[in-house]
């Protein structure tokens, strides 16, 4: 069975946390300068930053992938979501099944395979809407 191994780059956690702190300082400064129109930005950034920090833990990502996979299947959405290989998940790495294909942004491959791009766009939108509105999660990995 072909598998895909997702590894976290060494040192990325420290880089991301540092970048988030810098961004928070910039947003606080912009909010101070921008007044009332920027009042909600620090709170929005803090909420977003918590989600970004969770993205550093691949056990959470693997669990989200499981939930999205089962939720989309239960909703009857016809998309391929790789299966996580149980027992092969850690904070900085995990293994999932490898799914053959190409990115749906690859115009040449779409044309070569005669893909109806309108139908593809509709299916992609349906899958994302189902994730957000019915499952409450979104997995946007290709």
């Amino acid at each position: 069975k072909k598998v895909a191994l997702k590894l976290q780059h060494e040192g990325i956690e420290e880089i991301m946390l540092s970048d988030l702190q810098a961004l928070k300082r910039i947003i606080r400064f912009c909010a101070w300068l921008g007044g009332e129109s920027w009042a909600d930005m620090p709170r929005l950034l803090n909420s977003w930053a918590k989600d970004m920090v969770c993205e550093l833990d691949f056990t959470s990502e693997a669990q989200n992938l499981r939930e999205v996979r089962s939720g989309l299947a239960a909703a009857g959405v016809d998309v391929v979501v790789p299966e996580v290989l149980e027992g092969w998940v850690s904070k900085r790495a995990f293994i999932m099944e490898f799914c053959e294909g190409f990115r749906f942004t690859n115009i040449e491959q779409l044309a070569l395979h005669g893909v109806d791009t309108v139908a593809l766009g509709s299916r992609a939108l349906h899958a994302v809407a189902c994730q957000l509105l019915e499952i409450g999660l979104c997995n946007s990995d290709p």
Side-chain angles (χ1 to χ4, degrees):
K1 182 177 190 173
K2 281 186 170 182
V3 297
L5 171 63
K6 185 163 184 176
L7 295 173
Q8 189 177 99
H9 290 277
E10 188 175 341
I12 197 69
E13 184 170 1
E14 293 79 19
I15 292 169
M16 182 182 269
L17 293 174
S18 174
D19 288 350
L20 284 172
Q21 287 306 317
L23 185 57
K24 286 179 182 181
R25 284 193 299 275
I26 292 167
I27 293 297
R28 279 196 306 269
F29 180 69
C30 290
W32 177 74
L33 282 178
E36 189 63 32
S37 64
W38 278 77
D40 288 333
M41 290 306 292
R43 190 168 35 90
L44 290 171
L45 176 61
N46 285 334
S47 176
W48 177 78
K50 286 177 189 171
D51 289 340
M52 290 299 97
V53 170
C54 286
E55 288 288 319
L56 292 169
D57 184 351
F58 285 176
T59 59
S60 294
E61 184 171 344
Q63 182 56 36
N64 288 348
L65 188 61
R66 288 182 197 99
E67 289 180 39
V68 166
R69 178 182 165 87
S70 67
L72 289 173
V77 180
D78 186 20
V79 294
V80 176
V81 179
E83 183 178 2
V84 174
L85 273 67
E86 299 305 326
W88 294 94
V89 179
S90 72
K91 182 179 179 183
R92 296 184 58 198
F94 77 95
I95 298 176
M96 63 187 126
E97 79 176 304
F98 179 80
C99 299
E100 261 329 308
F102 53 88
R103 291 180 181 268
F104 67 83
T105 55
N106 187 329
I107 304 301
E108 294 81 21
Q109 287 292 319
L110 292 171
L112 179 67
H113 293 280
V115 174
D116 178 345
T117 56
V118 172
L120 176 62
S122 177
R123 183 181 287 181
L125 180 60
H126 183 222
V128 170
C130 183
Q131 287 178 71
L132 292 173
L133 301 174
E134 293 185 33
I135 304 168
L137 295 169
C138 188
N139 184 294
S140 58
D141 286 341

